[in-house]
C-alpha cells in the first residue's frame, strides 16, 4: 500500500509519537509510507526558542526525528501530489480540517482521531467529512456518532515499548510521586498544580518529580522539574516514583499511563476519556473524576500508605501493559487499511 499521514507540525505530543510509531511499523512491513507535515513559518521568537532548545536540550524535542522514511513539508496541501489508490490518513483534528481541501476522488481518505475537542462545531469542522474513521479509544465512538452522525470503523489503541519503558532501579530506590505538567486546556494544569501543592502540605517528606515540554511555572520548585528529558531520564523519573498521577481533563488515549505502568508505578488518573480503556478502577489503578484535586490526593495517599494495595496494582498493571504494544497497533492498522483499500473509495459506512 501507498500510505501518507498528514501531521500538523513538529513536536512531542502523543499524537505525533503514535503516528510516527505506526508509520515506521508499516514502513518496516514493506509499505510505501511518507509523512506530510505542515511547514510552519516560525516567528523570530519561535526561531530563537528552537535555537535555545537545540543548545540546552540536546536530547531532542521532536518525535519526527525518529521517522525512518520520507518527510515532506508543505505550505499548501493542494500542491501535494498523490497517486491513484493512495491512502491518506489525517492524524488529529488539524489534519482533518486540512484534508477537506484535497478534492481528489481517486485517493482513499481516512480520519485517525486522537481525542475530542472542546466544541462540537470544531469537531464537525475537523471530522464532519463523510469518510472512514479510526479512533485511539472506545469513548470516541459515541462522541463521533453524536457530533458527526458517523460510525468509527475500528478502535486502534496506542501502545508502549517495554524495551524502552521498564523498571530502571531496584524497588528500594523507589519513592514519592510523579506527574507530567502541560499548559494546554486538555492537560488541566490548575488541577496538577493543586495536587502538587496539597501533597507538599500534607506529605511534606514525600518527594515529587515533574517532567514537561514546557517552561517551568513558578508554582513548581526548580529542583523537581525536568524539561524535555531524554528517554533514559524519563524512564528513571517513572522508575523512581511509587505513584504516577495523570490529572488531565481530556485525554485521547493516555500513553504516559502505560509508560508509568511499564516502569512499575501505581497510577491515579482522572476519568477523562482514554484512561477508561486502560484502568479498571480499584483493580490496576484508580480513576477519579476530572478536576477533583482532593480525591486525587486521597487516592495517592492511600497508595503511598498501603504497600499491599500498591503492589497489587503494579502486578495487575504488568498484565495491562502486555495487552498494548506498538506491534499490535500496526497489526490492526494494517488490517483496517487493507480492508479499506480492497473495498475501494467507500463513504466510511462499512
Amino acid at each position: 500500500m501507498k500510505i501518507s499521514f498528514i501531521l500538523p507540525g513538529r513536536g512531542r505530543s502523543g499524537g505525533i509519537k503514535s503516528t510516527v510509531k505506526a508509520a515506521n511499523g508499516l514502513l518496516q512491513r514493506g509499505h510505501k509510507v511518507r509523512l506530510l507535515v505542515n511547514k510552519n513559518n516560525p516567528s523570530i521568537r519561535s526561531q530563537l526558542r528552537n535555537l535555545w532548545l537545540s543548545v540546552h536540550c540536546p536530547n531532542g524535542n521532536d518525535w519526527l526525528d525518529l521517522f525512518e522514511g520520507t518527510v515532506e513539508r508543505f505550505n499548501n496541501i493542494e500542491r501535494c501530489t498523490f497517486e491513484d489508490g493512495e491512502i491518506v490518513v489525517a492524524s488529529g483534528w488539524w489534519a482533518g480540517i486540512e484534508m477537506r481541501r484535497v478534492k481528489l476522488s481517486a485517493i482513499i481518505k481516512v480520519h485517525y482521531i486522537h481525542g475530542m475537542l472542546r466544541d462540537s462545531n470544531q469537531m464537525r469542522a475537523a471530522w464532519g467529512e463523510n469518510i472512514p474513521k479510526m479512533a485511539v479509544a472506545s469513548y470516541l465512538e459515541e462522541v463521533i456518532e453524536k457530533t458527526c452522525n458517523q460510525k468509527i470503523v475500528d478502535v486502534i489503541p496506542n501502545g508502549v515499548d517495554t524495551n524502552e519503558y521498564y523498571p530502571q532501579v531496584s524497588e528500594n530506590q523507589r519513592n514519592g510521586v510523579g506527574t507530567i505538567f502541560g499548559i494546554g486546556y486538555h492537560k488541566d494544569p490548575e488541577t496538577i498544580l493543586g495536587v502538587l501543592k496539597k501533597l507538599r502540605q500534607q506529605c511534606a517528606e514525600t518527594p515529587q518529580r515533574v517532567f514537561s515540554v514546557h517552561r517551568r511555572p513558578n508554582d513548581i520548585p526548580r529542583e523537581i522539574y525536568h524539561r524535555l528529558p531524554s528517554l533514559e531520564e524519563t524512564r528513571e523519573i517513572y522508575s523512581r516514583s511509587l505513584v504516577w498521577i495523570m490529572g488531565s481533563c481530556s485525554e485521547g488515549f493516555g500513553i504516559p499511563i502505560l509508560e508509568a505502568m511499564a516502569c512499575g508505578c501505581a497510577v491515579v488518573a482522572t476519568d477523562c476519556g482514554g484512561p477508561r480503556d486502560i484502568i479498571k478502577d480499584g483493580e490496576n489503578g484508580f480513576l477519579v473524576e476530572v478536576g477533583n484535586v482532593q480525591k486525587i490526593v486521597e487516592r495517592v495517599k492511600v497508595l503511598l500508605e498501603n504497600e499491599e494495595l500498591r503492589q497489587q496494582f503494579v502486578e495487575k498493571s504488568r498484565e495491562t501493559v502486555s495487552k498494548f504494544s506498538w506491534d499490535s497497533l500496526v497489526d490492526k492498522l494494517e488490517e483496517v487499511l487493507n480492508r479499506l483499500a480492497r473495498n475501494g473509495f467507500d463513504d466510511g459506512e462499512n
Side-chain angles (χ1 to χ4, degrees), residues 56-335:
H56 296 278
C57 302
N59 303 310
N61 65 318
D62 199 333
W63 296 123
L64 287 184
D65 295 336
L66 301 180
F67 183 53
E68 298 166 3
T70 301
V71 177
E72 296 182 19
R73 309 298 296 275
F74 68 88
N75 284 319
N76 183 350
I77 198 167
E78 294 172 278
R79 295 179 181 174
C80 296
T81 58
F82 300 93
E83 297 178 8
D84 289 356
E86 183 172 348
I87 300 173
V88 183
V89 182
S91 187
W93 69 268
W94 181 92
I97 294 174
E98 188 71 5
M99 194 159 66
R100 281 179 177 264
R101 301 170 59 191
V102 181
K103 304 299 184 181
L104 302 175
S105 60
I107 64 172
I108 302 171
K109 293 182 176 183
V110 185
H111 284 145
Y112 195 6
I113 301 171
H114 293 283
M116 63 184 292
L117 301 172
R118 295 175 66 177
D119 182 84
S120 58
N121 290 325
Q122 289 179 315
M123 286 192 279
R124 283 189 286 271
W127 302 308
E129 188 176 8
N130 193 24
I131 62 177
K133 292 171 171 49
M134 310 175 296
V136 295
S138 59
Y139 82 100
L140 289 166
E141 294 183 281
E142 182 179 349
V143 171
I144 294 302
E145 187 164 4
K146 181 179 179 180
T147 58
C148 301
N149 196 29
Q150 297 177 56
K151 293 186 180 297
I152 298 293
V153 298
D154 221 326
V155 174
I156 306 178
N158 291 328
V160 64
D161 186 344
T162 54
N163 292 315
E164 295 178 342
Y165 295 95
Y166 53 84
Q168 186 167 304
V169 301
S170 61
E171 192 64 21
N172 61 10
Q173 293 178 285
R174 194 185 291 272
N175 58 30
V177 300
T179 191
I180 299 176
F181 176 79
I183 63 174
Y185 159 79
H186 294 294
K187 302 303 180 184
D188 200 353
E190 291 79 13
T191 289
I192 288 297
L193 292 175
V195 168
L196 292 174
K197 181 178 179 180
K198 277 190 175 294
L199 285 172
R200 285 196 295 272
Q201 292 169 345
Q202 298 179 24
C203 308
E205 301 303 314
T206 301
Q208 296 181 355
R209 300 174 180 88
V210 183
F211 69 79
S212 176
V213 300
H214 304 291
R215 183 178 298 176
R216 180 183 64 86
N218 292 332
D219 307 69
I220 300 180
R222 186 183 304 276
E223 60 272 17
I224 71 170
Y225 198 76
H226 307 266
R227 188 180 182 192
L228 289 166
S230 66
L231 170 61
E232 293 75 16
E233 291 166 335
T234 301
R235 185 170 60 232
E236 182 170 357
I237 293 167
Y238 282 133
S239 296
R240 289 191 178 278
S241 301
L242 292 166
V243 181
W244 195 263
I245 304 163
M246 174 173 277
S248 305
C249 65
S250 178
E251 281 288 339
F253 180 75
I255 294 175
I257 293 176
L258 289 179
E259 293 173 349
M261 285 180 166
C263 291
C265 300
V267 177
V268 177
T270 45
D271 187 8
C272 60
R276 296 173 200 164
D277 287 357
I278 306 172
I279 295 177
K280 293 184 179 179
D281 186 42
E283 293 185 23
N284 64 344
F286 282 131
L287 283 178
V288 180
E289 66 179 314
V290 169
N292 193 331
V293 171
Q294 185 57 42
K295 181 61 72 173
I296 294 171
V297 170
E298 288 174 4
R299 292 304 198 191
V300 170
K301 290 171 68 176
V302 165
L303 290 172
L304 290 175
E305 295 165 3
N306 189 331
E307 174 68 14
E308 183 179 354
L309 180 61
R310 187 182 67 80
Q311 285 298 336
Q312 175 188 315
F313 281 10
V314 170
E315 288 299 319
K316 289 290 186 181
S317 293
R318 291 195 183 101
E319 297 175 17
T320 302
V321 167
S322 69
K323 300 174 184 177
F324 295 91
S325 70
W326 295 116
D327 282 342
S328 296
L329 176 151
V330 177
D331 287 342
K332 200 164 189 180
L333 181 60
E334 186 178 39
E335 175 190 336

